[in-house]
Amino acid sequence: MKMNKMEEIWMIIAVGLIIIAMGITGYQAFAMGMGPPSHQEHIDPQAIESHPEFSEPGVYELGDNQYEVIMTLQAFEFQPGEITVPEGAEVTFRMATKDVVHGVNVPHTNLNTMVVPGFIQEITQTFHEAGEYIMVCNEYCGVGHHMMSATITVEE
Ligand code: CUA
């Protein structure tokens, strides 16, 4: 069967566009690290209190200008509720919820995520400006949702 010339040209263009699109997507995902989140660590929401890492929520100094915040979430509080870190430090938040889905948002920063039961959420943030930041829950979690917040003090 002989193909119409125009049909053949358009077919080549269509297939070419698909290959180009796949190439761009693949480049972004693998070379630029823009793929979907793949951090999947599981945790039993019922066993957080006895979990080796999450049984003691708090701010831990890991090394030179590196901090880790072990955080638990539950209706309607963040633990720890007060976090103090130095300006410019790299802060990794490791979070787990004891009950329902909660949100974690620090306005005017890139820190904005969800914490889903059964999974450990990890997010790293550097606070470049000293001051007081407020962390709020931005996922409706019940009657006290609007009161669920924590403060982050960034010291000079
Ligand atoms: Cu927790 Cu809304």
Side-chain angles (χ1 to χ4, degrees), residues 23-151:
I24 292 170
T25 311
Y27 180 77
Q28 285 179 330
F30 298 108
M32 296 170 74
M34 285 164 69
S38 57
H39 184 86
Q40 282 213 347
E41 269 181 274
H42 297 257
I43 188 166
D44 178 2
Q46 248 94 63
I48 287 178
E49 241 121 294
S50 58
H51 189 275
E53 186 181 355
F54 286 91
S55 57
E56 282 180 63
V59 184
Y60 298 92
E61 190 173 350
L62 292 188
D64 196 23
N65 233 12
Q66 274 196 319
Y67 289 79
E68 187 172 72
V69 179
I70 302 299
M71 181 169 252
T72 60
L73 294 83
Q74 67 189 100
F76 303 98
E77 63 172 338
F78 292 96
Q79 271 182 342
E82 284 177 23
I83 297 156
T84 304
V85 288
E87 188 182 36
E90 191 182 275
V91 186
T92 299
F93 293 86
R94 286 180 53 79
M95 303 173 286
T97 170
K98 293 180 181 176
D99 42 41
V100 295
V101 175
H102 295 280
V104 178
N105 178 223
V106 180
H108 313 298
T109 71
N110 281 337
L111 213 158
N112 189 359
T113 190
M114 241 171 148
V115 184
V116 180
F119 294 90
I120 295 172
Q121 179 63 280
E122 191 179 297
I123 192 163
T124 300
Q125 175 74 35
T126 300
F127 298 92
H128 294 287
E129 263 178 69
E132 236 182 49
Y133 294 77
I134 185 147
M135 175 181 272
V136 295
C137 178
N138 63 353
E139 194 68 42
Y140 183 76
C141 53
V143 289
H145 162 70
H146 62 284
M147 297 186 310
M148 185 168 169
S149 72
T151 52

Side-chain angles (χ1 to χ4, degrees), residues 4-21:
N4 180 294
K5 192 77 196 155
M6 283 308 278
E7 204 179 10
E8 204 180 312
I9 290 169
W10 280 107
M11 206 150 159
I12 290 166
I13 291 172
V15 171
L17 285 174
I18 292 168
I19 291 169
I20 290 167

